[in-house]
Amino acid sequence: MDLQLLEETLAANGEPPFRARQVWEWVAKGVGGYAQMTNVPAGLRERLEQELPLSSLQVRGEAKARDGTIKALFETGDGRPLETVLMRYRDSSSGATGRRSICVSSQSGCPLTCSFCATGSMKFGRNLTTSEILDQALHFRRMEPVDHCVFMGMGEPMLNLDNVLAACERLPDIGISHRHTTISTVGWIPGIERLAECPMPLRLALSLHAPEDVLRSELMPVNERYPLADVVKAGREFYARKRRRVFVEYVMLAGVNDRYEQALALARLLAPVERDDPKVFKVNLIPYNPTDSPFGGSSRESIAAFRTALEKHGVDATVRLTRGRDIDAACGQLAARNERSAPESSAPGAATGVS
Ligand code: SAH
């Protein structure tokens, strides 16, 4: 919901200031319409119904993967594409409902040009507003409860940090605590520093993808501005300040960054400085979702060997579960394809595989 417009509409209708909070609380609970907002006067509900859409985003497509992952392609009021993914994990121990994690976008497109990333090949649109970020979460909240959020969709959250943090302030109302919210960055140091100062206990993830500068600059041109050693240092400082472990994302590209020596170099970079220092970093090895880039994903065996090498050298590492492979669920894939195949991207279901 456009929260600014909500306040303006309420003020124009002579409503008391607490109404905005009242309406938001219903929206955050996932109600599907104004009719359900029983403590809001009926006349006002009707007026809101006419003047204020429940979401600032329009759904342009949806794809469901066999593993339960759902990806939504949205459009903003001014026609900018963005996408959001819901990942459902089964809780194997109890058979109960497991984690429900949403992967949200912070920008339409991205001004950075990481060579392996589908979003990086799209035109940059603009920063998303706080309401547009929250409406991604609410779209899925209207389907089912959600409890984790990662800013790993389109865009670089640190380039839109005011709106990202304002959205984070409200995520607990939707059911997502700050401790279950992760902001992922290419290593934009001013943003990392600001996040370290921010009172919310949010988590930080750093996209490193290479253990040395030459290769990292090839994969991620932003490395020229914020080189690897400085990014890792900022990660250590974040830990010193917040006492929250930092995730390192490392997308596994065959023959590019997946060799044994590269695992050792990464371990050297991330290992505790002193013997008894805590482990600041935890590496997430990400199987590559092939895009139209020239890169191919590392084999399952290479990923496992890379992980073993890291762990042997004192760095914790996990291999990320692949989700939504069959629906192009990697960052930017759906919207990028939509942009190429249908310039008039408002055509419903224009994205491949979307029903
Ligand atoms: N700009 C931020 C957040 C968006 S990308 C960042 O870079 O961290 C979130 C993660 O998805 C990043 O680690 C990115 O490198 C990774 N990613 C991008 N394209 C991918 C693909 N095709 N397959 C797997 N991971 C990908």
Side-chain angles (χ1 to χ4, degrees):
M1 164 171 293
D2 186 330
L3 295 165
Q4 204 177 328
L5 196 58
L6 171 66
E7 291 198 3
E8 285 165 18
T9 310
L10 291 174
N13 281 288
E15 289 292 331
F18 68 81
R19 283 277 185 249
R21 185 80 209 164
Q22 232 174 13
V23 172
W24 162 252
E25 276 166 9
W26 284 108
V27 175
K29 266 190 231 157
V31 298
Y34 289 102
Q36 286 160 271
M37 302 183 186
T38 45
N39 58 356
V40 177
L44 177 62
R45 282 180 346 221
E46 268 163 38
R47 244 173 300 148
L48 288 173
E49 182 87 55
Q50 275 153 28
E51 293 173 31
L52 186 65
L54 211 58
S55 177
S56 60
L57 302 174
Q58 292 219 359
V59 182
R60 288 297 180 214
E62 196 153 74
K64 292 188 181 158
R66 284 186 290 276
D67 62 19
T69 301
I70 304 179
K71 180 160 183 159
L73 176 66
F74 297 105
E75 203 172 86
T76 61
D78 59 346
R80 311 285 187 175
L82 63 125
E83 52 193 32
T84 313
V85 180
L86 168 71
M87 290 158 291
R88 299 166 160 143
Y89 298 89
R90 236 171 274 128
D91 183 344
S92 48
S93 55
S94 64
T97 311
R99 179 154 57 97
R100 296 281 187 265
S101 186
I102 47 166
C103 177
V104 298
S105 296
S106 54
Q107 301 180 310
S108 173
C110 184
L112 304 174
T113 50
C114 302
S115 53
F116 53 87
C117 176
T119 309
S121 69
M122 282 175 73
K123 270 204 310 273
F124 173 60
R126 64 164 171 79
N127 281 340
L128 298 178
T129 64
T130 302
S131 301
E132 287 163 348
I133 295 170
L134 288 167
D135 276 331
Q136 298 171 58
L138 290 169
H139 172 78
F140 289 110
R141 177 64 191 88
R142 286 191 280 274
M143 289 180 198
E144 62 192 53
V146 287
D147 52 17
H148 285 69
C149 177
V150 292
F151 281 83
M152 293 184 189
M154 296 167 73
E156 169 53 39
M158 297 305 189
L159 295 177
N160 186 19
L161 199 51
D162 287 341
N163 292 344
V164 166
L165 292 180
C168 289
E169 298 269 2
R170 288 183 187 253
L171 283 178
D173 299 335
I174 300 176
I176 301 167
S177 70
H178 294 141
R179 287 172 198 285
H180 289 166
T181 302
T182 303
I183 298 186
S184 176
T185 175
V186 293
W188 196 267
I189 290 175
I192 300 172
E193 290 171 349
R194 233 185 107 189
L195 197 61
E197 297 302 320
C198 161
M200 289 182 272
L202 301 165
R203 282 187 170 271
L204 170 68
L206 301 177
S207 293
L208 292 191
H209 308 319
E212 42 86 16
D213 280 316
V214 174
L215 176 60
R216 190 164 191 267
S217 292
E218 270 171 38
L219 298 174
M220 309 173 72
V222 69
N223 189 64
E224 298 286 334
R225 184 161 179 164
Y226 298 118
L228 196 50
D230 295 353
V231 175
V232 170
K233 184 161 163 271
R236 290 191 195 279
E237 284 165 4
F238 180 90
Y239 181 88
R241 178 97 201 175
K242 307 281 270 190
R243 295 281 143 190
R244 301 191 60 70
R245 289 185 86 182
V246 173
F247 297 118
V248 163
E249 289 157 279
Y250 194 97
V251 67
M252 297 294 291
L253 304 169
V256 174
N257 65 359
D258 64 349
R259 288 196 304 279
Y260 179 70
E261 309 79 70
Q262 291 167 313
L264 298 193
L266 184 64
R268 274 196 300 277
L269 191 67
L270 302 179
V273 181
E274 302 280 338
R275 251 195 110 81
D276 51 356
D277 275 354
K279 289 184 175 181
V280 170
F281 298 105
K282 179 170 183 174
V283 177
N284 253 313
L285 299 173
I286 311 177
Y288 185 57
N289 255 315
T291 67
D292 287 346
S293 80
F295 297 103
S298 308
S299 67
R300 201 189 278 253
E301 295 73 30
S302 319
I303 299 176
F306 200 92
R307 176 188 174 185
T308 307
L310 284 175
E311 297 232 307
K312 269 208 177 129
H313 290 83
V315 173
D316 292 345
T318 53
V319 179
R320 184 174 294 169
L321 284 175
T322 49
R323 312 292 302 186
R325 268 265 159 123
D326 48 327
I327 55 164
D328 286 347
C331 174
Q333 279 187 299
L334 199 56
R337 184 156 307 183
N338 206 31
E339 184 182 72
R340 280 193 307 275
S341 63
E344 65 292 358
S345 62
S346 58
T352 329
V354 170
S355 52

